Amino acid sequence: MPVSPLNRRDFVKKSAVTGAAVAVAGSVGAPAAEAAEHKPAQKNRTWSFSVLGTTDLHSHVFDWDYYKDAAYSDSKGNSVGVARVATLVKQQREAKGEDPVLLVDAGDIIQGTSLAYYFARVEPITGKGAPRHPMAVAMNHMRYDAAALGNHEFNYGIEVLRKFESQCRFPLLGANALDAKTLRPAFQPYTVKRICVPGAPDIKVGILGLTNPGIALWDKDNVSGKMVFPGLVEQARKYVPRLRALGCDVVFLTDHSGLDGSSSYGDELPYVENASNLVAQQVPGIDAILVGHTHVEVPSYTVKNEETGEDVLLSEPYCWGYRLSVFDFELELVRGQWKVTRKTAQTLNPNTVDEDPEIKKLLEADHELVVKYVNTPVGTCTEDLSAAESCWKDVPIMDFIHQVQMDTVKAGLSTSDAALPLISVAAPFSRTADIPAGSVTIKDIAGLYIYDNTLYGKKLTGAQLKDYLEYAAKYYHQVPAGTAVDTSTLTNANSFWDYMYDTAAGVSYDIDIAAAEGSRIKNLSYNGTSITDDQVFVVAVNNYRANGGSGYPHIAAADIAYSSTNEIRQLMIDYVTAKGALDPKDFAVTNWRLTQDGTPVF
């Protein structure tokens, strides 16, 4: 039996019990005699409700690390997975009532773990008689009301996304995902939910979903000519007034877009990647925004709308099910119209609750299938290959990636392009990756290459290649000559994260960390000869970078010499399977190093 809705006072008391930080002004009863002399003024009706929010779940169902084949653990004690989040959601509903609690997601649902890959590529949900996607099963069970499209929803192609959409009992929202030919919405832009208030009008909550314009670049191969993705601000300006015209008392946005107004694709698109703050600032009529995409925790953040002066409340609940955002709204019925009088937000940590037993029952078999898959042996390795120092040393495990990329591109080049020098660029995605000596399984390789990127070959000149490597070298903080180098503080300058930092193989070069940014690449050579500005190279590179990801210069506009729809991770698995043994003697070459004014650091 559903729990009856609560009035504002009871709702607030229950919020405090479950961790929702709602401050309520109490009232003190007047003495009876005074009350008799002064009849209290008629008070307006009040009511409260909550919106719970997740984002960037990336197909984390259970508290499990498929790359390590063990329960998830990190130094901060986080847990992962919607199975634990589901328990928090149940607690919120039990405390506040079923009707006054909505559940929303901000995107990146169907990519990111071995479980996601399994149901997209190994036993795809698009196959005849295939099972439902585990994330659809889990989120349906949790009774989500809506979810925004994330950019990673498009990684496996539109067919997989549409199949997932058909399996969800809630809408996937994308007001700025448009059909390329008609410029009409390709997905539902918004949904309107009604919260029942006994003896009063329903509270109408409009939920508008916005996705990331970067999809046009990052998944160009999947969406080009099919969909276009205008800016968040532009589409919010169109749809927020529409929701108000429909009589929505509250307008809530779920944005797969961060808070700081930055972009990782440079000037390749006219739209901002992380635009949620700009939407709040520039589009009137928004009450609150669930933020996603940037994998950070922002419990509560307020932006003042520049037109109305009203505060817009934002919250981002980290990623992977690390946190659950809780937005609490208080409303007052004024002349038949509900008005928001107070709103607060916070994040809750699910690491203290158990996983939902019903989700475990529903999806344990799917989980076991994936565990069996990732533990499949594909070959052996002659020695332990670690990525622990990959961010400041040229280590063999990175040369493994480079070798696979160059071998694959080389085999697919035209006769004329095959005559050009071939090199590779790749990033150290995980410092904890390790391919052990002895048996090598799928999970060992998946832990090294954690993204579902495909492979390109693009043409750069020597001058462009130098610019590319200079851009990568801004990853390092400047450390003057004669100063000790501390690897714990050396990297990630300019908010340039590990996945953004490319090293190159096939050419030799030094990175002088004592030099200023833009003049760090020294002794750039190919086969022992200095590279000339007009020399042309074929560069093996993943599709994310090839299409403009992280804002590298020249590469997005460069001519294409090769492209493939095969994931680089699978190419690596195939390499080990074909050879039987992974031996660094076959590929390990130290071709770059860090220096300080010409002196090697290591």
Side-chain angles (χ1 to χ4, degrees):
M1 180 180 294
V3 179
S4 300
L6 306 177
N7 63 29
R8 183 182 67 83
R9 181 173 297 177
D10 289 342
F11 177 92
V12 167
K13 289 179 181 177
K14 293 295 187 180
S15 292
V17 170
T18 56
V22 181
V24 183
S27 59
V28 180
E34 184 179 341
E37 295 176 7
H38 303 284
K39 185 177 180 180
Q42 184 73 29
K43 289 186 177 181
N44 290 325
R45 186 71 182 275
T46 60
W47 206 253
S48 301
F49 76 95
S50 290
V51 180
L52 312 181
T54 56
T55 190
D56 296 275
L57 294 171
H58 286 285
S59 284
H60 287 83
V61 173
F62 296 118
D63 195 12
W64 191 260
D65 187 334
Y66 291 101
Y67 303 139
K68 295 180 179 178
D69 195 26
Y72 180 84
S73 65
D74 64 19
S75 60
K76 298 179 180 178
N78 289 309
S79 64
V80 299
V82 289
R84 284 187 187 269
V85 174
T87 301
L88 288 185
V89 172
K90 279 186 175 180
Q91 290 177 351
Q92 289 282 313
R93 286 174 173 150
E94 288 169 359
K96 300 174 179 178
E98 296 287 334
D99 196 59
V101 176
L102 303 177
L103 179 58
V104 177
D105 184 79
D108 276 4
I109 301 168
I110 62 172
Q111 178 275 344
T113 61
S114 295
L115 180 141
Y117 182 80
Y118 186 90
F119 287 97
R121 292 288 187 259
V122 182
E123 191 178 344
I125 59 173
T126 51
K128 188 176 181 180
R132 288 184 296 167
H133 197 289
M135 288 301 292
V137 174
M139 295 174 79
N140 287 341
H141 171 74
M142 294 168 68
R143 303 199 312 278
Y144 272 79
D145 292 285
L149 293 166
N151 53 285
H152 284 289
E153 258 65 84
F154 294 85
N155 286 174
Y156 296 121
I158 292 174
E159 182 186 5
V160 171
L161 173 55
R162 288 298 192 190
K163 186 65 175 181
F164 174 71
E165 180 188 30
S166 73
Q167 295 175 347
C168 294
R169 296 200 294 265
F170 53 90
L172 299 182
L173 305 179
N176 59 329
L178 310 181
D179 181 275
K181 294 179 181 178
T182 66
L183 298 184
R184 292 178 178 174
F187 292 84
Q188 187 172 324
Y190 61 82
T191 186
V192 177
K193 308 298 293 186
R194 290 178 176 268
I195 294 173
C196 179
V197 182
D202 292 350
I203 298 170
K204 294 175 69 175
V205 183
I207 303 173
L208 175 67
L210 295 164
T211 191
N212 205 288
I215 296 166
L217 288 178
W218 304 325
D219 270 300
K220 182 179 179 181
D221 295 341
N222 291 326
V223 301
S224 182
K226 300 174 183 177
M227 293 185 191
V228 294
F229 302 87
L232 283 83
V233 171
E234 291 80 359
Q235 292 302 101
R237 282 180 173 149
K238 176 179 179 179
Y239 283 102
V240 170
R242 186 172 299 183
L243 288 170
R244 290 297 182 184
L246 289 172
C248 290
D249 305 292
V250 177
V251 172
F252 186 94
L253 270 58
T254 174
D255 291 359
H256 194 75
S257 180
L259 273 169
D260 61 6
S262 66
S263 286
S264 67
Y265 42 69
D267 58 0
E268 293 295 324
L269 285 176
Y271 310 112
V272 176
E273 176 181 351
N274 296 309
S276 290
N277 59 322
L278 302 178
V279 172
Q281 182 182 18
Q282 298 176 20
V283 182
I286 299 168
D287 291 290
I289 302 176
L290 174 66
V291 178
H293 184 58
T294 47
H295 292 208
V296 296
E297 182 181 7
V298 183
S300 182
Y301 186 80
T302 301
V303 173
K304 191 173 291 294
N305 184 267
E306 60 188 12
E307 183 174 326
T308 65
E310 296 291 329
D311 286 339
V312 182
L313 182 64
L314 304 94
S315 179
E316 182 173 3
Y318 216 162
C319 61
W320 301 3
Y322 281 154
R323 302 289 184 271
L324 174 71
S325 282
V326 180
F327 294 82
D328 286 316
F329 297 89
E330 296 180 27
L331 296 91
E332 185 177 13
L333 189 62
V334 180
R335 294 187 293 276
Q337 181 76 42
W338 288 106
K339 301 292 184 183
V340 176
T341 57
R342 183 172 174 80
K343 52 194 176 186
T344 60
Q346 66 157 347
T347 51
L348 303 182
N349 193 333
N351 66 352
T352 59
V353 301
D354 294 330
E355 293 182 331
D356 181 276
E358 289 300 314
I359 290 181
K360 291 186 72 172
K361 182 178 179 182
L362 287 167
L363 295 174
E364 192 69 37
D366 289 346
H367 168 71
E368 291 300 329
L369 270 177
V370 179
V371 169
K372 181 179 179 181
Y373 166 72
V374 300
N375 280 285
T376 303
V378 293
T380 61
C381 190
T382 59
E383 61 184 82
D384 184 79
L385 302 179
S386 171
E389 297 182 311
S390 58
C391 294
W392 51 83
K393 287 184 181 179
D394 187 350
V395 294
I397 199 169
M398 288 300 300
D399 289 328
F400 169 39
I401 300 174
H402 288 305
Q403 188 66 48
V404 170
Q405 292 190 164
M406 288 191 288
D407 284 355
T408 305
V409 171
K410 183 178 181 179
L413 291 176
S414 67
T415 302
S416 58
D417 287 338
L420 297 173
L422 173 65
I423 68 172
S424 169
V425 293
F429 293 141
S430 173
R431 300 189 192 192
T432 61
D434 186 274
I435 298 177
S439 179
V440 176
T441 64
I442 287 173
K443 75 172 185 291
D444 297 323
I445 297 172
L448 172 61
Y449 209 100
I450 60 177
Y451 296 109
D452 298 320
N453 293 328
T454 57
L455 186 61
Y456 269 80
K458 287 213 161 186
K459 297 180 185 179
L460 294 181
T461 66
Q464 290 173 330
L465 176 60
K466 188 172 187 297
D467 288 346
Y468 190 102
L469 294 175
E470 288 286 6
Y471 185 85
K474 72 178 187 175
Y475 170 75
Y476 296 107
H477 290 278
Q478 188 174 13
V479 185
T483 304
V485 176
D486 181 356
T487 57
S488 68
T489 58
L490 174 64
T491 63
N492 306 117
N494 303 294
S495 296
F496 211 62
W497 311 117
D498 293 357
Y499 77 91
M500 302 169 74
Y501 171 57
D502 278 357
T503 63
V507 290
S508 297
Y509 60 103
D510 295 340
I511 304 173
D512 189 347
I513 58 174
E517 289 178 20
S519 58
R520 290 178 170 175
I521 302 302
K522 312 292 185 183
N523 305 318
L524 181 59
S525 64
Y526 177 77
N527 281 348
T529 302
S530 295
I531 290 174
T532 60
D533 286 351
D534 59 353
Q535 196 170 356
V536 178
F537 294 84
V538 174
V539 181
V541 59
N542 71 48
N543 67 301
Y544 176 79
R545 198 76 84 236
N547 290 326
S550 300
Y552 273 79
H554 310 304
I555 194 74
D559 290 339
I560 299 171
Y562 170 88
S563 67
S564 170
T565 57
N566 295 320
E567 286 92 357
I568 294 169
R569 181 199 300 116
Q570 188 60 46
L571 295 171
M572 293 162 63
I573 293 169
D574 294 344
Y575 176 95
V576 179
T577 303
K579 285 190 170 290
L582 188 62
D583 188 344
K585 292 178 182 177
D586 295 336
F587 49 78
V589 178
T590 302
N591 62 284
W592 67 270
R593 63 182 182 175
L594 299 186
T595 64
Q596 288 173 292
D597 198 20
T599 301
V601 174
F602 302 108

